[in-house]
Amino acid sequence: MKLEQIMNAMPALLKGSVLTLELTVISIIFGMILGLFLALGRLSKNKVVNSCCWFYIWLFRGTPLLLQIFFIYFAFPMFFTPPLKLLDFPSALIALSLNSAAYMAEILRAAIQSIDKGQMEAAKALGMSYGQAMKKVIIPQSYRRLIPPVGNEFIMLLKDSALVSSIGMTELLRVTTQIANRTGNAVIYLPCAAMYLILTTIFTVIFEKLEKRYSVYE
Amino acid sequence: MIKVEKVCKAFGHLQVLNGIDFAVREGEVVCIIGPSGSGKSTLLRCLNQLESVTSGKVYIENELIEDKVPGEAYSKVNHKKAAEICTKLGMVFQRFNLFPHMTVLENVIISPMTVKKMPKAQAAAIGLKLLQKVGLEDKKDEYPSRLSGGQQQRVAIARALAMQPKIMLFDEPTSALDPELVGEVLSVMKELAAEGMTMIVVTHEMGFAKEVAHRVVFMDKGEILEENTPSEIFANPRHERTKAFLHKVL
């Protein structure tokens, strides 16, 4: 393996990294929003809402992510006549978002439940509704407790996003495989691993910084 | 101002309140005393709907906020209206329950801003006055974790007052404090009483009850056994259990 070969592959690897990053960041944001509703649903006293959210989490945590990706890309469009044309990028995004939402829901639920009951009581005694108390008192307090597990989930998702190479998304791993096949030189996986490590390290640092910022009051 | 009729409260099989009849007039300071587990705190929490009664009626300022018949699960009153009436009650908790992610001033102004949609500047002006009243305006930008227990409880009182309540409920406000910090909280409460605030205080501070209360209520095993003026109840307790309790704490 010549250094030159690696240097030649760098633009492609960087492009792949950008796609990996896009997939991860967008999915984690959607996952977080959907996850919050799922978490509130799991905390709800309404039995129907609660069981629906339980079912969702059970389904998405209990089946492989790769299967979910295949299902959404290949099987889901078949339910429509004529079959839906789903592109690879939205399919990948949907699969990763839906999957991370299930994990996020459990992270959020645990964080919300870990807040002292007295906080909700004080908010209610001050006249706040359940929604106001959640928004102003409970959820803001859960931020700091959320950061470590969310950071963890983010890094898992960043690595798991490699699975969407199976439906033809040219993210970092797929790009590398293509280059390896084309040049017959598999050492190119080394710089690929380095790219993943750089990405995960950057985000580990960002999440550590965030955690410090949110612990000012403790 | 507050009237409670035949209120019962059970947690599962545990009967905590056993047919309570109780009333408080405007401007009155009532201290509720009694052994732990006697239902004092539960009674207080039933007044502002932190607990719902199992049966009985609760009136706040002549408005019915709880009306349950034994065996029926749902209160017949409008919950939204009841919640609105309950904003006339301020509550101070044993463990302060300040919001740790907000500064002292933010703690005080969050409820007027959220519930009454008061503009921030106006809320802050009121908040600062209240902090002044409890002697903590210099701590306005501190987080609660930086304050002593006594200071935290004084902030909690200011926070409750920010909603301009007609009645203040105190649930063992000094029980979680170091002995030397009890005085500063009690003196704020005395000041409130002197201003004519209607107060219901669950307390173990017999000195406070003697000095400030207009009436002392003795509870045991979910019942009100005796109520009288402090001088009368402390000097001539009528009930055997009141005698035994006072003998232990005085």
Side-chain angles (χ1 to χ4, degrees):
Chain A
M1 181 83 189
K2 288 180 193 142
L3 191 65
E4 198 191 331
Q5 259 177 319
I6 295 182
M7 291 318 284
N8 284 343
M10 271 327 268
L13 286 183
L14 279 175
K15 225 177 136 197
S17 306
V18 170
L19 186 58
T20 291
L21 211 54
E22 269 175 18
L23 280 168
T24 313
V25 171
I26 300 173
S27 305
I28 207 97
I29 291 169
F30 282 141
M32 203 123 172
I33 296 166
L34 181 56
L36 178 61
F37 286 106
L38 288 166
L40 291 175
R42 288 285 285 125
L43 294 168
S44 159
K45 281 186 189 128
N46 183 320
K47 278 194 184 128
V48 180
V49 173
N50 199 316
S51 353
C52 286
C53 295
W54 175 88
F55 177 80
Y56 180 98
I57 294 165
W58 173 75
L59 186 68
F60 278 90
R61 289 206 312 170
T63 54
L65 175 57
L66 188 57
L67 186 149
Q68 293 163 17
I69 294 168
F70 284 161
F71 188 88
I72 286 164
Y73 187 59
F74 297 117
F76 178 69
M78 304 292 224
F79 289 103
F80 297 87
T81 41
L84 213 62
K85 273 195 187 122
L86 258 181
L87 296 173
D88 50 2
F89 186 71
S91 301
L93 216 50
I94 292 170
L96 292 175
S97 303
L98 294 181
N99 182 271
S100 76
Y103 288 92
M104 280 296 177
E106 289 297 275
I107 291 170
L108 285 158
R109 181 169 71 101
I112 290 171
Q113 277 178 329
S114 74
I115 306 296
D116 178 35
K117 266 192 197 153
Q119 294 289 312
M120 181 54 102
E121 289 187 346
K124 281 195 171 163
L126 287 165
M128 290 189 211
S129 65
Y130 178 83
Q132 288 170 333
M134 272 290 172
K135 198 170 139 203
K136 302 278 179 180
V137 177
I138 309 294
I139 292 176
Q141 281 185 63
S142 67
Y143 290 158
R144 199 196 60 83
R145 295 177 200 194
L146 278 176
I147 291 164
V150 166
N152 204 18
E153 169 62 16
F154 186 92
I155 282 163
M156 298 282 275
L157 193 67
L158 192 125
K159 292 179 294 169
D160 284 349
S161 70
L163 289 171
V164 302
S165 62
S166 59
I167 57 167
M169 289 291 293
T170 44
E171 44 66 73
L172 183 52
L173 184 65
R174 173 95 174 175
V175 167
T176 313
T177 308
Q178 282 172 344
I179 295 170
N181 289 346
R182 199 175 57 231
T183 59
N185 194 334
V187 182
I188 193 74
Y189 283 113
L190 261 181
C192 170
M195 288 304 290
Y196 274 112
L197 276 171
I198 291 169
L199 289 178
T200 50
T201 309
I202 290 171
F203 282 97
T204 307
V205 172
I206 289 176
F207 279 102
E208 273 170 10
K209 287 250 158 74
L210 275 176
E211 195 184 348
K212 276 211 188 98
R213 219 182 96 188
Y214 277 105
S215 20
V216 280
Y217 60 78
E218 289 194 357
Chain B
M1 191 156 221
I2 287 186
K3 203 163 74 178
V4 169
E5 283 175 5
K6 296 195 181 59
V7 159
C8 293
K9 172 72 189 174
F11 294 106
H13 291 296
L14 185 69
Q15 192 76 27
V16 184
L17 295 179
N18 228 329
I20 299 279
D21 290 298
F22 171 67
V24 178
R25 288 184 302 276
E26 188 163 356
E28 206 178 11
V29 178
V30 177
C31 282
I32 306 179
I33 61 169
S36 49
S38 58
K40 312 179 294 284
S41 294
T42 308
L43 174 58
L44 219 54
R45 293 161 61 85
C46 283
L47 295 179
N48 72 347
Q49 300 208 311
L50 284 181
E51 304 287 354
S52 59
V53 305
T54 311
S55 67
K57 291 181 183 179
V58 178
Y59 297 87
I60 309 282
E61 291 212 299
N62 296 319
E63 304 253 22
L64 193 60
I65 63 152
E66 282 270 35
D67 182 9
K68 274 192 201 158
V69 177
E72 273 179 33
Y74 291 101
S75 190
K76 283 176 258 174
V77 295
N78 178 336
H79 283 288
K80 216 168 170 186
K81 201 174 158 222
E84 217 178 286
I85 296 164
C86 281
T87 59
K88 292 177 184 170
L89 303 173
M91 185 156 187
V92 173
F93 297 86
Q94 181 176 358
R95 290 179 50 246
F96 333 131
N97 297 354
L98 290 179
F99 305 135
H101 59 304
M102 299 179 195
T103 64
V104 164
L105 184 62
E106 285 168 348
N107 261 280
V108 176
I109 66 178
I110 184 71
S111 48
M113 282 171 57
T114 310
V115 181
K116 293 185 175 171
K117 312 286 178 215
M118 192 184 280
K120 190 171 181 182
Q122 192 190 347
I126 295 174
L128 278 175
K129 256 188 213 151
L130 288 170
L131 286 176
Q132 221 164 0
K133 188 189 178 95
V134 299
L136 288 170
E137 74 270 38
D138 55 324
K139 301 279 185 198
K140 69 182 170 68
D141 296 321
E142 293 278 9
Y143 283 101
S145 58
R146 305 282 301 271
L147 304 184
S148 73
Q151 291 171 330
Q152 289 191 48
Q153 195 61 300
R154 280 146 65 199
V155 174
I157 294 173
R159 180 178 70 171
L161 290 174
M163 286 298 282
Q164 289 159 318
K166 298 260 178 78
I167 303 152
M168 285 286 282
L169 310 176
F170 292 86
D171 187 5
E172 304 197 25
T174 57
S175 297
L177 297 178
D178 291 339
E180 78 272 21
L181 302 176
V182 168
E184 60 189 71
V185 173
L186 291 182
S187 71
V188 169
M189 290 167 63
K190 279 177 203 166
E191 202 181 309
L192 267 184
E195 287 168 10
M197 175 66 82
T198 310
M199 291 163 58
I200 307 178
V201 186
V202 170
T203 188
H204 294 293
E205 294 292 331
M206 297 304 151
F208 177 83
K210 263 185 201 164
E211 191 185 334
V212 182
H214 300 114
R215 188 151 52 97
V216 174
V217 172
F218 176 75
M219 278 183 76
D220 192 16
K221 296 185 182 146
E223 289 170 38
I224 292 179
L225 290 181
E226 185 166 352
E227 48 183 313
N228 217 325
T229 58
S231 48
E232 204 38 42
I233 210 163
F234 288 116
N236 306 306
R238 303 219 175 104
H239 205 285
E240 277 311 313
R241 276 189 266 168
T242 319
K243 276 182 203 167
F245 174 75
L246 289 175
H247 183 72
K248 266 185 241 162
V249 295
L250 287 180

